[in-house]
Amino acid sequence: ADAAIPTTPEAGSFKIGIEPWLGYGQWHVADAKGLFKTNGLSDVQIVNFAEDKDINAALASGQLDAANIATHTAMGMVAAGLPVKIVLLLDVSMTADAIIAGKDVTSIADLKGKQVAFEEGTTSDILLKYALAKNGMSIDDVKAVPMPASDAGGALIAGQVPVAVTYEPYLTVAMAQNKDVKLLFTAGEDPGLISDVLVVRDEVIKSRPGQVLAMIKSWDAALKDYNADTSGGRAIIAKAVGSDVKDLNTAFDGVRYYSLAENKTALTGDFTTKTFADVEAAAKNAKLLQADVTPEQMIDPSFVKAAQ
């Protein structure tokens, strides 16, 4: 099948859905540096969305060719019957998603009976339930205080809750405001548990495989550019997500971008054999996934294999 992927992309536009998250940042670098055109793509449209539900709807209705989404979100889509495939692992959150606590809480076991602020149905939900399960506990052992991730850190600082689960840049803000606030448990304890992928509609994979391949090459070219000029790349990404770069440096440090070379290993190795099962179990545990999905059903490694 690899031989069938044309090295010259088909004509026409390619529409990709994105949210304001650092992990998707290399698309903004590719756009700013003209790397789509370098790879033969004349018209890549990066379409911005504020919420998962909107990006999911646009993908389902065919308004988008591809979307950048969390791994567990992709599983939910496929479980719901949406014909998409993961073609690229974009990023893995290491310390950019975390459970944070003040000085009275020093372990996950200490969470028993305590109030925990977090946003339900998100990566924070998955991380909390994973950490609890890893310590022989469940959500029933804590007092859940549902609120948006943007408010959870503030609730901890204000003393409304002793524990919060959130992500960058809110983690950095919370720790800057109170020196007693620390990372109690991070996503990096199981690298890939909180990760993002590029999904492409099956119809696009069949009809425009050359475009898909060129998109993957563009991501890799952007990441090379970013690694060569990280401060410049971070400035481009910060502007695109609407934040000040100095507020985001710690956040960037907590995210690991995946290159094409790493994808060649991951999509045929660890990500498929281990990470996928961990994310699926965590998403089910968080009640974000109702049906079984398999790597074979969801991952198409042929593009990263074909890309040079």
Side-chain angles (χ1 to χ4, degrees), residues 15-307:
K15 294 189 180 72
I16 182 171
I18 207 163
E19 286 181 75
W21 160 239
L22 299 182
Y24 309 144
Q26 302 309 330
W27 299 123
H28 298 301
V29 174
D31 194 34
K33 296 287 183 91
L35 300 172
F36 293 126
K37 292 204 167 49
T38 306
N39 284 289
L41 292 156
S42 58
D43 181 24
V44 174
Q45 295 173 23
I46 297 176
V47 189
N48 291 292
F49 292 86
E51 292 184 62
D52 285 6
K53 63 174 171 42
D54 299 329
I55 208 166
N56 298 1
L59 194 62
S61 64
Q63 289 167 273
L64 295 173
D65 298 314
N68 300 280
I69 55 178
T71 304
H72 73 270
T73 308
M75 289 176 176
M77 281 183 179
V78 171
L82 189 62
V84 294
K85 296 279 185 297
I86 293 171
V87 297
L88 191 69
L89 173 60
L90 302 170
D91 68 277
V92 164
S93 175
M94 299 300 284
T95 54
D97 285 79
I99 302 172
I100 51 175
K103 59 176 182 297
D104 305 331
V105 177
T106 59
S107 69
I108 296 295
D110 288 349
L111 266 53
K112 193 160 182 67
K114 290 195 172 65
Q115 290 184 303
V116 182
F118 69 100
E119 186 175 343
E120 293 178 306
T122 65
T123 52
S124 301
D125 195 338
I126 284 195
L127 186 63
L128 174 61
K129 287 169 183 166
Y130 176 84
L132 289 167
K134 205 173 172 185
N135 287 272
M137 298 160 73
S138 82
I139 197 71
D140 300 330
D141 291 314
V142 302
K143 296 190 178 111
V145 183
M147 66 175 69
S150 52
D151 300 337
L156 173 63
I157 297 298
Q160 295 162 340
V161 293
V163 184
V165 193
T166 187
Y167 43 79
E168 292 289 14
Y170 311 119
L171 295 170
T172 298
V173 170
M175 290 188 288
Q177 285 179 337
N178 183 337
K179 64 175 182 356
D180 289 327
V181 172
K182 60 182 175 295
L183 301 179
L184 193 66
F185 190 97
T186 69
E189 305 233 4
D190 185 2
L193 183 72
I194 295 175
S195 49
D196 294 290
V197 291
L198 177 66
V199 295
V200 180
R201 290 192 301 114
D202 286 1
E203 183 271 313
V204 176
I205 286 176
K206 285 190 190 70
S207 64
R208 287 181 270 144
Q211 285 190 348
V212 179
L213 182 63
M215 286 296 288
I216 285 171
K217 288 179 178 172
S218 300
W219 171 271
D220 194 57
L223 184 52
K224 284 191 172 77
D225 189 288
Y226 173 89
N227 288 335
D229 174 21
T230 304
S231 60
R234 287 184 175 186
I236 290 167
I237 296 166
K239 186 173 176 239
V241 301
S243 291
D244 189 334
V245 74
K246 67 176 187 297
D247 298 334
L248 288 177
N249 277 324
T250 330
F252 274 112
D253 292 340
V255 175
R256 184 176 161 205
Y257 292 111
Y258 271 68
S259 67
L260 174 59
E262 289 168 323
N263 263 279
K264 285 179 191 280
T265 314
L267 289 193
T268 54
D270 265 7
F271 184 75
T272 299
T273 55
K274 180 187 185 290
T275 310
F276 192 95
D278 285 357
V279 176
E280 185 175 15
K284 280 187 169 170
N285 189 22
K287 309 266 190 293
L288 300 181
L289 183 64
Q290 275 72 43
D292 289 329
V293 286
T294 66
E296 296 70 34
Q297 181 187 4
M298 280 193 62
I299 300 172
D300 182 350
S302 63
F303 294 96
V304 297
K305 283 183 183 165

